[in-house]
Amino acid sequence: MRATTRDHARQPRSVAHKPFIRAAITMKKLIAHVPIAALAGLSLLLPNAPCSAQAGHFDPTFGSGGRLVVDVSVESKVDRVSRLIVRAEGKLLMGGTCQYLVQADIDLESDAFCVTQLRPDGAYDGTFGPGGVGYVQFNVFAGWPEGSYVRDMIVLRDGRIALLGQGHDGNQALLGVLLADGTALDSTVGGGKGFIEFPLGALAGVQSPQSLAIQPDGKVLVAGSAPGVNGNLDFAVTRLLANFSGPDTSFGANGVQTVAFDLGGPAGDDSDICAAVRLQSDGKIVLSGIAITSPAGQPRTGAEIALTRLNSNGTRDFGFGNSGDGRIHYSAGGVALAIDAQIDGADRIVLGGEFLTAIPATEAKWLVDRLSADGGRDAAFNQGNPKIFSAPLSNGGGSVQRLALTKDGIYAIGQTLRAPPPATDTFFSVARLHPNGSLDQRFGDAGQFYGSFTSTNDVDALGTDIAIGNGGVMIAGNQTQSVVHSDNTFKFAIGRLQDVPPIDLIGHKGSEACWSKAVTKPTFLSLVGSNVEGNTACIPPYSFTAFNGSAFVTYNVCYTAACPGGNVGCPITTHTGAFSEGGDFGAGQFSATGTADNFTMAGVSGFGTCNYSASGITTSYASDYIFTDDGNHGDYAALLNQFTAAPTAVVIGGSGSDPNCASSAAYIYPYFYAYATLGMSASLQQKLQNPTVGRSVCPAE
């Protein structure tokens, strides 16, 4: 399906997309879809789409070359997609906001919720919407509030569609419930109206609804921001009954709960903007967003990522984080914004957003971070630090708008500038990260892909949502379709990227390594690397006792070679050697030798400091490795620490202020070997986990 565009549709300048920081400051539109106000750009030519599907590139079997621009509204003026959901059988549901003409003689326009549903191939779903046109614009429903716009959308357990937004006055959250086939609003909701309006907090004033989540019992959480007792916005969440008859009064205080961070201090800007509500497996509720940090008398120049967690009854969980009050906030060394959050299979919290060194700034970077289930730093993700990186093109601007998670990947979508500031034109951009936080080099160009939803490369292609399913990575966004009288016409846009193929070396049963079914020997060698040069094994310091010539002295061993993130360890070089044809792990044929060269240890004795060094240690893998299914569909259960080391051509030296350093070096032979084997294990294990062993593709029989 190729969408058509009505030639005279225009977008008034007053509704053009605002930069994120400006939107956060005004509070009217929190999650806007362009970078910071200081960033701007000139258009560049988009690289041609590949002629065949490649991981992280457009899938040419979908739509028109992997992408589509879709007409959704009756008037077809300015259509802005907010959410994308892959439904059963691969159907594609997109919800957002569409303009329509209120009074033609004065060209008066307004906004309304709108939804479209496409078939898996991108064509309109002829069973959806009034008359089966494939879309619906809510101003066709009697009594629908004028001037409404969408923030979030979920599919309820029975297939109905709930859309969250705000009316024109901004003083109420607005939730509409559409029948599963899109033909009408649900007449059982709101006394027959099909929608309800309600506050997020206890105090009157402008409400900023942002996010929806559905509980297993069918009750729906609505989160955003609402006025707090200090006059600024606070995190706010309301729980609605499953039948949408009103708030669940057993939750929080009469159905609502607010949390303030108040980082601006007395008389400062203490606005706290909740962007996402997510549920952990035990029913606890995680709220994430932004806390403004501007002291009294200063403009808004600071913001931090902010999170809190509630118990299932709406009370604050004081065991979340380490502050004792259930709140977490951090700046990552600059200005950090959390725009989306997701919960992974281990209940860890994955955040996506934007990082700036300061406000105002000339550069914005993407930010992805992962916290433990209880809000602590996750050492397994980027050495316990937020992942901050430039979007493709490295033109100084970009931000993550939405995340999607799989067992072996973190996907992020947002935008990147086409040219350096002061340009403002953008491409959408997508990144794929390994679970350890590194960019997946197999996806796109070194882990990232950027583009436009049209082959004509119109300006301002914005990425707003991402979902895994329907045969690939589905992406949605807003595409400038045409420019008429200096005004832009935005459309819903959708595309499909080819995903990274799942790889599994371990069979479901019988310790079978499925070379032929999952990955060939050359593919494995390519993934692991014919050698693992420069990998650093981060091993804790160790204490040992040795005779220094006159007495036994305790030596505290540490390492001088640095790992990423400031850890310490020793450089490891692993030579994988040759694999025999048909070799598999279960038969113990994964064997080779390697070297661990140039260890440096600093030992402190009672007589002074000794500097020890070793080179030429040869390590070998143990004779047999039995990899078994651990119940997680392909992850290996064997421990990779059964390495052996032999003193082949080893050279060990010792020097320092202790006169016995050289002679005492002999006593640390075993420790060099131990660290060599542990280092080799850590090196290889990391490679097997990320990205080699991921989702299983072996048959279950």
Side-chain angles (χ1 to χ4, degrees):
M1 175 196 74
R2 182 184 297 275
T4 58
T5 304
R6 296 168 176 84
D7 292 337
H8 300 294
R10 306 194 309 273
Q11 176 201 6
R13 282 296 186 187
S14 61
V15 298
H17 290 276
K18 301 297 190 298
F20 176 76
I21 295 295
R22 184 178 301 167
I25 292 173
T26 63
M27 310 299 173
K28 181 66 176 177
K29 296 183 178 181
L30 170 64
I31 311 298
H33 304 297
V34 295
I36 58 175
L39 304 176
L42 302 173
S43 67
L44 300 176
L45 293 178
L46 180 67
N48 293 328
C51 58
S52 61
Q54 303 175 34
H57 292 267
F58 283 122
D59 182 348
T61 64
F62 176 82
S64 176
R67 49 196 165 179
L68 287 170
V69 175
V70 183
D71 277 337
V72 181
S73 64
V74 176
E75 297 293 335
S76 191
K77 291 206 169 186
V78 177
D79 305 337
R80 291 158 288 176
V81 62
S82 298
R83 291 292 171 255
L84 165 68
I85 297 173
V86 179
R87 302 187 74 177
E89 301 176 352
K91 289 187 176 182
L92 306 166
L93 185 70
M94 292 191 288
T97 306
C98 295
Q99 277 197 339
Y100 64 96
L101 194 62
V102 176
Q103 190 171 342
D105 58 344
I106 60 173
D107 199 23
L108 180 62
E109 297 160 330
S110 188
D111 293 321
F113 290 16
C114 55
V115 178
T116 186
Q117 183 162 290
L118 308 178
R119 298 198 312 248
D121 63 357
Y124 286 123
D125 179 4
T127 67
F128 186 86
V133 296
Y135 59 83
V136 57
Q137 188 168 313
F138 282 31
N139 61 294
V140 302
F141 301 132
W144 183 258
E146 185 178 318
S148 58
Y149 54 92
V150 168
R151 283 304 185 203
D152 203 3
M153 175 179 71
I154 58 173
V155 174
L156 303 176
R157 293 180 301 172
D158 58 6
R160 291 176 300 158
I161 305 161
L163 295 103
L164 172 69
Q166 193 170 9
H168 71 281
D169 62 3
N171 292 325
Q172 297 280 309
L174 171 64
L175 189 139
V177 181
L178 190 66
L179 297 181
D181 61 4
T183 55
L185 291 174
D186 183 358
S187 61
T188 68
V189 174
K193 297 186 299 182
F195 65 88
I196 56 175
E197 294 181 277
F198 54 94
L200 291 177
L203 300 179
V206 174
Q207 315 283 307
S208 179
Q210 295 295 338
S211 182
L212 290 169
I214 185 169
Q215 296 185 162
D217 60 2
K219 294 178 181 179
V220 173
L221 295 163
V222 183
S225 303
V229 294
N230 60 2
N232 289 316
L233 293 180
D234 292 339
F235 279 23
V237 59
T238 295
R239 186 162 72 191
L240 302 175
L241 296 170
N243 62 3
F244 297 107
S245 60
D248 176 9
T249 56
S250 68
F251 179 84
N254 202 32
V256 302
Q257 178 63 281
T258 57
V259 178
F261 290 84
D262 292 348
L263 301 185
D269 189 336
D270 293 329
S271 297
D272 304 317
I273 308 162
C274 180
V277 55
R278 301 291 180 250
L279 284 167
Q280 294 180 313
S281 61
D282 59 359
K284 292 190 175 182
I285 302 160
V286 176
L287 305 175
S288 63
I290 302 162
I292 304 298
T293 62
S294 299
Q298 293 187 15
R300 285 183 175 170
T301 57
E304 295 188 6
I305 291 172
L307 300 97
T308 189
R309 187 169 71 182
L310 308 179
N311 296 308
S312 58
N313 63 359
T315 59
R316 197 186 305 177
D317 179 3
F318 295 112
F320 183 69
N322 56 15
S323 62
D325 61 8
R327 300 180 301 174
I328 297 170
H329 57 88
Y330 60 98
S331 65
V335 177
L337 314 171
I339 302 175
D340 189 34
Q342 299 293 338
I343 307 297
D344 71 6
D347 274 337
R348 296 172 299 191
I349 305 161
V350 184
L351 302 167
E354 185 175 5
F355 175 82
L356 306 91
T357 55
I359 299 176
T362 57
E363 181 176 15
K365 293 185 177 182
W366 284 31
L367 181 148
V368 177
D369 197 11
R370 190 175 69 202
L371 305 179
S372 69
D374 289 327
R377 298 307 314 173
D378 182 359
F381 181 86
N382 197 37
Q383 288 81 47
N385 302 302
K387 176 75 172 182
I388 298 171
F389 56 101
S390 295
L393 302 177
S394 299
N395 282 328
S399 62
V400 173
Q401 294 294 324
R402 192 74 166 174
L403 298 168
L405 308 181
T406 62
K407 180 179 177 182
D408 63 343
I410 301 170
Y411 299 79
I413 191 169
Q415 60 273 328
T416 181
L417 286 180
R418 296 172 177 236
T424 56
D425 295 342
T426 59
F427 287 125
F428 76 77
S429 182
V430 180
R432 187 185 195 277
L433 286 74
H434 294 305
N436 67 2
S438 62
L439 285 167
D440 187 341
Q441 303 296 309
R442 301 168 296 167
F443 185 87
D445 182 9
Q448 299 174 278
F449 177 72
Y450 67 93
S452 170
F453 290 103
T454 64
S455 59
T456 54
N457 192 34
D458 293 322
V459 297
D460 285 337
L462 307 173
T464 59
D465 206 355
I466 186 167
I468 311 302
N470 190 35
V473 180
M474 300 304 306
I475 58 175
N478 302 313
Q479 179 64 45
T480 300
Q481 181 67 3
S482 63
V483 178
V484 180
H485 304 303
S486 300
D487 289 327
N488 293 338
T489 299
F490 284 92
K491 298 289 187 182
F492 278 28
I494 189 169
R496 184 167 70 198
L497 305 182
Q498 184 74 22
D499 201 357
V500 172
I503 295 173
D504 184 17
L505 299 179
I506 316 305
H508 283 263
K509 295 181 180 180
S511 303
E512 174 192 1
C514 45
W515 293 107
S516 60
K517 303 184 187 76
V519 60
T520 63
K521 178 180 67 177
T523 303
F524 171 75
L525 290 176
S526 175
L527 290 171
V528 177
S530 58
N531 56 69
V532 190
E533 297 287 350
N535 227 24
T536 305
C538 298
I539 306 169
Y542 190 83
S543 297
F544 67 94
T545 301
F547 188 75
N548 69 359
S550 60
F552 284 93
V553 177
T554 297
Y555 289 80
N556 298 308
V557 179
C558 57
Y559 300 98
T560 58
C563 300
N567 296 313
V568 292
C570 49
I572 298 296
T573 302
T574 303
H575 300 283
T576 59
F579 283 74
S580 60
E581 293 297 332
D584 64 60
F585 290 95
Q589 295 179 7
F590 181 46
S591 60
T593 59
T595 60
D597 293 332
N598 303 322
F599 283 75
T600 302
M601 297 183 180
V604 180
S605 74
F607 297 96
T609 300
C610 293
N611 297 308
Y612 300 114
S613 62
S615 62
I617 297 176
T618 299
T619 60
S620 300
Y621 306 116
S623 58
D624 288 306
Y625 291 101
I626 304 301
F627 293 84
T628 59
D629 176 33
D630 64 355
N632 293 322
H633 304 294
D635 286 346
Y636 64 92
L639 296 176
L640 295 177
N641 60 359
Q642 302 176 34
F643 291 81
T644 60
T648 304
V650 178
V651 177
I652 291 182
S655 62
S657 57
D658 185 339
N660 298 297
C661 285
S663 59
S664 64
Y667 291 96
I668 65 171
Y669 272 30
Y671 301 101
F672 278 121
Y673 302 151
Y675 288 124
T677 58
L678 287 172
M680 198 70 70
S681 171
S683 171
L684 183 62
Q685 189 173 46
Q686 180 184 18
K687 288 294 180 177
L688 283 175
Q689 289 175 327
N690 302 305
T692 309
V693 177
R695 292 174 296 177
S696 175
V697 295
C698 298
E701 65 272 19

